[in-house]
Amino acid sequence: MKITDLDKNDCNEYYWRYIQKIPEHLEIRKGFEVGCATVIRFFNTIPQDKLSFRYASDKWSIKEVLQHLIDTERVFMYRCFRISRKDKTPLAGFDQNIYVEPSGAHDKSMDSLIEEFKTIRQSSISFINSVSDDHLEVIGNANGGHMSARSAAFTIIGHEIWHMDVIKEKYL
């Protein structure tokens, strides 16, 4: 399954800005594996003195961005799980900004953040490999709009690409 298999009914327009970052040839399951290695390599190359840098006072630090990727993967994989299991209960959105402070990202080492990311990603890979394509096509309701299980999964992959691009452009 690739992003070319998606159509506009898979999710709200907002999520397409992330999904469109994914190369068209990348298969969803492979995307989680490739993304894991890419994210780890990317964050491991950032100099220590840049990890707490903010390009503006109201923006997250690089450590907080990595924590945000971890938290967002948890939320979207939960959505993918619930929707793929044909749960029609509307799933709430989340305010990503309030997650930052209690996450304690600044008090964590980069090694511990990378380890947390790897743990979450391994769980995501295990789940996505256990779900049939038919169940990834199921559409549910998340954050007040329609969302397929596959679009929730693809959003995770595109979202990490989006934020690595922002870091390259504004932080480094």
Side-chain angles (χ1 to χ4, degrees):
M1 181 173 296
K2 301 174 184 171
I3 63 166
T4 53
D5 295 319
L6 297 176
D7 63 45
K8 293 294 180 185
N9 293 322
D10 272 272
C11 62
N12 285 341
E13 187 176 323
Y14 176 82
Y15 300 110
W16 284 99
R17 67 185 187 155
Y18 302 124
I19 293 169
Q20 290 174 338
K21 291 280 189 180
I22 302 168
E24 287 186 2
H25 69 276
L26 190 62
E27 196 277 328
I28 192 169
R29 291 168 180 87
K30 188 72 172 167
F32 277 88
E33 294 170 12
V34 169
C36 184
T38 302
V39 168
I40 291 168
R41 187 171 44 254
F42 177 79
F43 280 93
N44 275 331
T45 64
I46 298 174
Q48 187 73 26
D49 64 331
K50 291 281 192 181
L51 298 178
S52 296
F53 174 73
R54 299 167 190 271
Y55 70 89
S57 61
D58 63 336
K59 297 299 179 183
W60 299 334
S61 70
I62 290 175
K63 280 183 165 182
E64 289 170 334
V65 171
L66 180 53
Q67 184 69 63
H68 167 68
L69 293 179
I70 294 165
D71 291 348
T72 300
E73 183 156 341
R74 285 181 168 115
V75 170
F76 276 77
M77 193 48 68
Y78 178 69
R79 290 176 179 180
C80 180
F81 166 71
R82 296 264 310 263
I83 293 167
S84 72
R85 295 295 200 252
K86 300 183 178 184
D87 186 339
K88 297 298 182 191
T89 308
L91 302 170
F94 74 109
D95 181 347
Q96 62 193 10
N97 291 311
I98 64 170
Y99 281 47
V100 175
E101 187 272 324
S103 76
H106 277 295
D107 297 327
K108 297 177 182 178
S109 69
M110 185 52 86
D111 286 343
S112 70
L113 285 165
I114 295 288
E115 189 60 35
E116 186 177 354
F117 174 79
K118 287 191 319 193
T119 301
I120 295 306
R121 181 52 56 96
Q122 282 310 121
S123 175
S124 296
I125 290 170
S126 178
F127 175 70
I128 204 78
N129 286 336
S130 76
V131 180
S132 72
D133 285 354
D134 287 345
H135 288 135
L136 286 173
E137 293 174 11
V138 173
I139 295 180
N141 184 299
N143 198 26
H146 57 282
M147 176 170 274
S148 67
R150 65 187 179 182
S151 70
F154 275 125
T155 298
I156 293 166
I157 299 166
H159 181 252
E160 65 196 22
I161 297 168
W162 172 280
H163 279 290
M164 287 186 291
D165 287 348
V166 169
I167 289 171
K168 289 174 199 170
E169 179 184 330
K170 299 194 180 248
Y171 289 78
L172 303 177

